[in-house]
Amino acid sequence: MTAIGFEKHDHNRCIATALAEAETRCADQKLQLTPVRRRALEILLQRHRAMGAYEILDLLAADGLGSQPPVAYRALDFLVQHGFAHRIERINAYTACAHPEQDHIPAFLICRGCKAVAEAETELEQGRLGAAAQATGFAIERIVVEAEGLCPACQEHPA
Amino acid sequence: MTAIGFEKHDHNRCIATALAEAETRCADQKLQLTPVRRRALEILLQRHRAMGAYEILDLLAADGLGSQPPVAYRALDFLVQHGFAHRIERINAYTACAHPEQDHIPAFLICRGCKAVAEAETELEQGRLGAAAQATGFAIERIVVEAEGLCPACQEHPA
DNA sequence: TCACGATTTGTTATGTTATAACATTCATCG
DNA sequence: CGATGAATGTTATAACATAACAAATCGTGA
Ligand SMILES: [Zn+2]
Ligand SMILES: [Zn+2]
Ligand SMILES: [Zn+2]
Ligand SMILES: [Zn+2]
């Protein structure tokens, strides 16, 4: 199981590791992990949940790192583009990638109670969807897989 | 293959059949297929592609069936709720269900060129996602599966 | 028939998410 | 230094969605 998100873990270490990895990879690939981008990633890692662009913007603004929507959207675009974060379509939100080291198609479990998000891995083979695509000649570029429901905690305490 | 959407077909018949089915099922289940709801479904069936709520609203308004956003959103909520249409998260749009007779988890192929949408069926077993959910005790209520890419036509004529 | 409750629709206002467009800053390099 | 390209700052607006309340509609039982 690779659905990081609902279990307890050493989160400070989790953040530090992820940030360090991001810096290494950006250096390797000549990507600019600028202050805004770095801080946006750090915010996502700290909260360890799905966050809206405007929520992130508020936190960036509190640090004097831009106060208008495009600032947040650009930083998030960069992070998503390069696999440091994912966009979650169902809730118009963003979350840090749980395993950015490897190429993957992310799949999410989204709790509608507490908004917690767990990232799982999908099969790389895309099953019947891939077959349908092949049959029609459709060229898949991106796949969204998101499950909405209730996490263990929210099942017990129904709000 | 069940990805209806990119192939040619007798579309007038396709619309008539779907509308008739909807009427039958609404009668059976004591659902009210009111003029607004019926027309919204008809619009989706006619266009046979993903449409935004405001786009549908404009067409409803042209028929004197309400001119404010809630009118469209309510009609769409009804159609989605009862399986006559699906919401496509990736593009904030709606499309008529390709096989409303049966219960299913829809999966979509979305062309980013022409916005055409094909509905395929997913495996009912949810693969590794279901396994991840079980392992964490997460209760899945809804699953979103959407692939974005280029349909055959748009691959040949890159806009 | 008429009062009732439930459902649907009408309407106003506002909230939320996202991008277009253009100016400015800043590092890099010839 | 001056040109180039990347990133950021800023204004304005587009696109998507819902809260809240009023009015109409309709079945249903008194
Ligand atoms: Zn963590
Ligand atoms: Zn939860
Ligand atoms: Zn058709
Ligand atoms: Zn369907």
Side-chain angles (χ1 to χ4, degrees):
Chain A
M1 238 291 303
T2 48
I4 303 169
F6 300 138
E7 305 89 3
K8 273 221 170 288
H9 62 281
D10 180 346
H11 194 48
N12 283 334
R13 192 184 150 81
C14 160
I15 295 172
T17 305
L19 270 181
E21 266 176 25
E23 281 178 349
T24 302
R25 189 145 68 83
C26 282
D28 286 356
Q29 304 181 207
K30 310 272 188 230
L31 301 175
Q32 302 189 48
L33 192 60
T34 62
V36 184
R37 293 167 175 178
R38 190 183 193 286
R39 183 73 184 113
L41 177 55
E42 194 178 15
I43 286 168
L44 286 176
L45 287 165
Q46 280 172 347
R47 301 309 185 284
H48 213 291
R49 60 180 173 80
M51 302 181 71
Y54 280 76
E55 194 181 354
I56 292 163
L57 177 58
D58 285 346
L59 295 168
L60 289 175
D63 288 4
L65 289 170
S67 58
Q68 300 306 319
V71 173
Y73 281 101
R74 284 169 188 152
L76 290 167
D77 282 350
F78 171 87
L79 295 175
V80 168
Q81 192 86 37
H82 296 98
F84 301 115
H86 299 293
R87 174 176 164 83
I88 302 179
E89 301 294 341
R90 177 67 185 98
I91 55 177
N92 301 319
Y94 300 81
T95 195
C97 178
H99 27 63
E101 59 282 357
Q102 60 203 302
D103 234 359
H104 60 285
I105 299 172
F108 297 100
L109 302 176
I110 306 161
C111 179
R112 67 169 164 78
C114 64
K115 306 298 178 201
V117 169
E119 180 178 348
E121 295 190 66
T122 38
E123 274 101 294
L124 272 189
E125 56 89 14
Q126 305 134 5
R128 201 175 296 192
L129 187 60
Q134 277 219 313
T136 44
F138 186 92
I140 292 179
E141 293 169 350
R142 186 188 167 213
I143 297 186
V144 174
V145 179
E146 300 173 3
E148 193 175 23
L150 285 179
C151 75
C154 288
Q155 287 172 58
E156 294 188 16
H157 314 288
Chain B
M1 237 291 301
T2 49
I4 304 170
F6 301 138
E7 305 89 3
K8 272 220 170 285
H9 61 283
D10 180 345
H11 194 47
N12 283 333
R13 192 183 149 81
C14 160
I15 295 172
T17 305
L19 270 181
E21 266 177 24
E23 281 179 349
T24 302
R25 188 145 68 83
C26 283
D28 286 357
Q29 302 181 208
K30 310 274 188 225
L31 302 174
Q32 302 188 46
L33 192 60
T34 62
V36 184
R37 293 166 176 178
R38 190 183 192 285
R39 183 71 183 114
L41 177 56
E42 194 178 16
I43 287 168
L44 287 175
L45 288 166
Q46 280 172 347
R47 302 309 185 284
H48 214 290
R49 59 179 175 81
M51 302 180 72
Y54 279 73
E55 194 181 354
I56 292 162
L57 176 59
D58 286 346
L59 294 169
L60 288 175
D63 289 3
L65 288 170
S67 59
Q68 300 306 319
V71 173
Y73 281 100
R74 284 170 187 151
L76 289 167
D77 282 350
F78 171 87
L79 295 175
V80 168
Q81 192 87 37
H82 296 97
F84 301 115
H86 299 294
R87 174 176 163 85
I88 302 180
E89 302 293 341
R90 177 66 185 102
I91 55 176
N92 301 320
Y94 300 81
T95 195
C97 177
H99 27 62
E101 59 282 358
Q102 59 203 302
D103 235 359
H104 60 284
I105 300 172
F108 297 100
L109 302 176
I110 306 162
C111 178
R112 67 168 164 78
C114 63
K115 306 298 176 201
V117 169
E119 180 179 346
E121 295 191 64
T122 39
E123 273 102 294
L124 272 189
E125 57 89 14
Q126 304 133 7
R128 201 175 294 193
L129 187 61
Q134 277 219 312
T136 43
F138 186 91
I140 293 179
E141 294 169 349
R142 185 190 166 211
I143 297 185
V144 174
V145 179
E146 300 174 4
E148 192 174 24
L150 285 179
C151 75
C154 288
Q155 287 172 56
E156 295 188 15
H157 315 287

